[in-house]
């Protein structure tokens, strides 16, 4: 699973919801989309990317939505992450 592809897809989702005038609704829309339509291993890979690189390449609205979804007020530090490791088993996301 290519993280660059996941970042691109997450940013596309963020671009759609960025047009919402209510920022909380936009964050909820992004989080709901990731939860409903992304396979768990895709979300884990994205969260690992956020934990290890502070979300390098992700748009601010996507980072904010992920932080809200994960119940955080700021982006996590890479060390001691509780996100389980994901094996690259291929799949539809690259």
């Amino acid at each position: 699973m290519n993280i660059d592809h996941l970042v691109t897809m997450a940013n596309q989702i963020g671009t759609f919801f960025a047009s919402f005038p209510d920022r909380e609704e936009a964050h909820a829309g992004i989080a709901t989309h990731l939860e409903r339509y992304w396979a768990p291993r895709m979300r884990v890979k994205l969260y690992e990317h956020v934990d290890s690189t502070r979300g390098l390449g992700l748009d601010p609205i996507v980072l904010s939505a992920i932080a809200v979804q994960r119940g955080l007020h700021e982006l996590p530090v890479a060390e001691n992450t509780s996100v389980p490791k994901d094996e690259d088993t291929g799949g539809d996301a690259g």
Side-chain angles (χ1 to χ4, degrees):
M1 194 171 339
N2 184 320
I3 190 60
D4 294 330
H5 186 61
L6 293 178
V7 166
T8 297
M9 291 191 322
N11 285 340
Q12 289 170 337
I13 296 163
T15 297
F16 173 80
F17 285 103
S19 66
F20 283 40
D22 182 337
R23 192 56 50 188
E24 287 182 25
E25 185 180 4
H27 288 155
I30 293 167
T32 299
H33 184 93
L34 294 175
E35 188 66 32
R36 283 187 185 165
Y37 301 110
W38 282 37
R41 61 192 165 89
M42 293 167 64
R43 288 192 307 271
V44 167
K45 191 79 164 179
L46 185 66
Y47 299 158
E48 284 177 341
H49 176 71
V50 170
D51 291 343
S52 66
T53 70
R54 301 188 61 78
L56 182 67
L58 287 168
D59 291 340
I61 192 169
V62 176
L63 283 171
S64 296
I66 290 171
V68 168
Q69 179 184 28
R70 295 173 85 188
L72 306 173
H73 298 288
E74 58 186 65
L75 294 176
V77 178
E79 58 198 31
N80 297 327
T81 180
S82 63
V83 178
K85 295 294 180 201
D86 182 43
E87 295 298 321
D88 186 4
T89 57
D92 55 357

